Amino acid sequence: MLKKFLPAEHVKSILNITPEQLKARGIKGIITDLDNTLVEWDRPYATPQLIKWFEEIKRNNIKVTIVSNNNEVRVKAFSDPLEIPFIFQARKPMTKAFNKALAQMGLKKEETVVIGDQLLTDVLGGNRSGFHTILVVPVAQTDGFVTKFNRFAERRIMNWFRKKGLLQWED
Ligand SMILES: [Mg+2]
């Protein structure tokens, strides 16, 4: 059913998610996508604002794992300077990498959110694994090769949700 593609929440940018909001809900961990969620898919390193956001998250004792379908070179080069654990070639929407990240952080599903920019990988995978999912607007308007195909299906699902009033981006 299409409901599996529906995020529990949607926000404009990951930077709009505050540690206070997360802690109020008992969240202690974040599993986040990389490309077009944290930075543009073709930007190699984190922006100053994003570095500040991660510092804020860590200061509040919220753990983070980057879970990406991209390759080791890309994910490692991005994550290592931030000292954030990562899983590459995660094969989302398969559930294995989500569960691995959870085990590594030593948290429960109820204490962890999944954040990403794609319905077909991040949201579907997170929902299937039983996490609270947060969809963000893609950082860039462009996508890598594989993602272009996913976006086509995604647009159709998004339109359906919009028509049903299940999903709308606030301005
Ligand atoms: Mg992405």
Side-chain angles (χ1 to χ4, degrees), residues 33-37 92 116-118 121-122 151:
D33 173 50
L34 200 181
D35 296 318
N36 273 348
T37 295
K92 296 177 281 186
D117 72 301
Q118 281 197 74
T121 54
D122 309 309
R151 292 287 184 210

Side-chain angles (χ1 to χ4, degrees), residues 46-147:
T47 60
Q49 299 105 292
L50 186 67
I51 292 169
K52 247 184 91 189
W53 184 83
F54 275 126
E55 283 168 0
E56 200 58 30
I57 291 289
K58 283 185 186 172
R59 212 186 345 263
N60 282 273
N61 296 315
I62 297 170
K63 294 178 182 175
V64 180
T65 304
I66 293 173
V67 174
S68 171
N69 282 355
N70 213 329
N71 63 53
E72 181 173 13
V73 174
R74 158 63 165 159
V75 185
K76 187 174 166 54
F78 181 89
S79 309
D80 274 354
L82 301 167
E83 295 178 349
I84 294 173
F86 60 90
I87 295 172
F88 59 92
Q89 280 165 4
R91 305 183 70 183
K92 296 177 281 186
M94 309 258 266
T95 56
K96 200 176 158 192
F98 293 102
N99 292 326
K100 188 177 166 192
L102 188 69
Q104 284 175 359
M105 293 192 287
L107 297 174
K108 297 181 193 134
K109 277 183 186 169
E110 313 84 74
E111 298 171 329
T112 310
V113 291
V114 167
I115 306 173
D117 72 301
Q118 281 197 74
L119 295 184
L120 270 70
T121 54
D122 309 309
V123 173
L124 176 60
N127 283 346
R128 263 183 181 171
S129 314
F131 290 96
H132 182 93
T133 49
I134 306 176
L135 180 71
V136 301
V137 177
V139 176
Q141 291 301 310
T142 61
D143 286 299
F145 186 71
V146 179
T147 306

